[in-house]
Amino acid sequence: MSAQLIDGTRIAREVRGRVAEDVKALRERTGVIPGLATILVGEDPASEVYVRNKRRLATEAGMADLHRHLDADVAQSTIAEMILALALDDAVSGILLQLPLPAGLDSGPLIDLIPAIKDVDGLTTLSAGLLARGLPGLRPCTPSGVVTLIDSTGFDLNGANAVVVGRSELVGGPMGRLLLARNATVTTAHSRTRDLAAVASSADVLIAAAGVPGLIGAEHVKPGAVVIDVGIHRTASGLVGDVRFDEVREIAGWITPVPGGVGPMTIATLLANTVTAAHIQAKLRAV
Ligand code: NAP
């Protein structure tokens, strides 16, 4: 039997609709218009597309687009000064430094200049620490969006076996911590995992975030499992994920497509984080 599709495009549209209502309510109540400052350095075509979509959808949700664009040969210190200025600017609710940066620039120290309260990408060391400790904070957009997609199926994470393939700071690492926070029994697989198929096929929920096209096939999937494909790869025949979709959909209970699965949710979650940040900053300013 074929798996049910998890329609990330539709769910993301619903989330953005709720964000737009929230933006309107905040503006009417406090006069605050949430502002998203995206910073793009250089001319990487994929990054340009991602940033353009983030700006367009932020504007559609009623937010202020406070984009900055810097040349690829900009000094690290210039980006640092820009982030520090945005950190102090009350019109800026959220700051997002688009990755990857051009060669020669070091993203880690720059990201850590973003105050946790404006860290709408959830990638600073402080935000990661808050997540690790289970304390309130802004969560990384992609794994947070994945949790929304799992919830949309009605699947109960409590006590379920979850396997995350990948342990990066961007996706796999925080993904595991978010699932643990929902009381899943979490296993993290990575490039040194022995017998990935044996580990992955124990999962009630399988998150593929390895960045390897077609890594996950039928042999990795337990019948009826929820399969979430985070991978995005541009190929001659279009976008593909880490999951061999046609093969796995015959076994899984639920599956995300690529495109139209996790990708749209990442942006919707960024916008949700931005309005949350704006609410918190408005409250802090009021006291
Ligand atoms: P990454 O930094 O390259 O990390 C990949 C992780 O997968 C690493 O932990 C690596 O293990 C593990 N891995 C690599 N090959 C493996 C294998 N054969 N078996 C098991 N594990 C393996 O990538 P990332 O930034 O996390 O991104 C992962 C994928 O998600 C990419 O395709 C990326 O384009 C996509 N992505 C999508 C979105 C979205 O919005 N849809 C957002 C972000 C990323 P080691 O740690 O041992 O090296």
Side-chain angles (χ1 to χ4, degrees):
M1 208 180 72
S2 206
Q4 297 193 57
L5 268 196
I6 304 176
D7 185 349
T9 304
R10 177 183 59 76
I11 299 162
R13 194 184 309 117
E14 288 166 8
V15 170
R16 293 199 311 274
R18 288 196 291 276
V19 168
E21 284 169 18
D22 210 1
V23 168
K24 187 164 170 272
L26 180 68
R27 193 184 59 226
E28 285 170 0
R29 196 164 44 78
T30 65
V32 168
I33 298 173
L36 176 62
T38 45
I39 306 172
L40 177 64
V41 185
E43 320 288 339
D44 176 63
S47 293
E48 279 181 351
V49 172
Y50 289 137
V51 169
R52 197 181 315 134
N53 285 336
K54 289 168 187 173
R55 296 174 62 195
R56 179 174 56 80
L57 293 172
T59 306
E60 261 179 44
M63 299 186 189
D65 170 19
L66 307 172
H67 177 65
R68 305 285 194 277
H69 190 185
L70 296 165
D71 291 336
D73 61 358
V74 69
Q76 173 106 359
S77 59
T78 305
I79 309 174
E81 281 160 22
M82 176 177 281
I83 292 173
L84 290 172
L86 293 169
L88 292 174
D89 185 343
D90 280 352
V92 176
S93 316
I95 305 169
L96 179 149
L97 180 61
Q98 184 66 39
L99 302 177
L101 294 179
L105 295 167
D106 187 0
S107 60
L110 292 170
I111 286 174
D112 277 339
L113 292 174
I114 301 172
I117 195 67
K118 295 191 177 185
D119 178 22
V120 287
D121 235 358
L123 295 181
T124 62
T125 304
L126 184 50
S127 296
L130 293 171
L131 172 57
R133 286 273 179 96
L135 295 170
L138 295 166
R139 305 309 194 205
C141 300
T142 300
S144 195
V146 167
V147 173
T148 307
L149 292 177
I150 296 169
D151 284 342
S152 77
T153 67
F155 180 85
D156 185 7
L157 279 168
N158 204 26
N161 281 340
V163 173
V164 181
V165 185
R167 58 176 166 180
S168 72
E169 281 313 312
L170 182 64
V171 187
M175 186 74 254
R177 292 187 278 277
L178 284 171
L179 292 169
L180 200 54
R182 290 290 300 274
N183 296 319
T185 304
V186 180
T187 303
T188 302
H190 46 77
S191 67
R192 312 288 174 87
T193 296
R194 289 181 204 142
D195 200 347
L196 181 63
V199 173
S201 61
S202 71
D204 303 310
V205 184
L206 178 62
I207 318 290
V212 179
L215 176 69
I216 302 296
E219 70 278 21
H220 297 88
V221 177
K222 179 175 170 177
V226 178
V227 178
I228 307 283
D229 191 352
V230 181
I232 306 181
H233 312 279
R234 277 163 221 283
T235 68
S237 51
L239 287 184
V240 299
D242 284 3
V243 174
R244 280 171 255 148
F245 183 83
D246 290 338
E247 189 180 313
V248 170
R249 77 177 306 182
E250 297 305 321
I251 296 166
W254 293 85
I255 189 168
T256 56
V258 176
V262 174
M265 272 313 297
T266 296
I267 302 188
T269 309
L270 168 73
L271 302 184
N273 276 350
T274 306
V275 74
T276 299
H279 270 288
I280 296 168
Q281 290 158 36
K283 263 194 205 141
L284 287 175
R285 276 197 289 273
V287 291

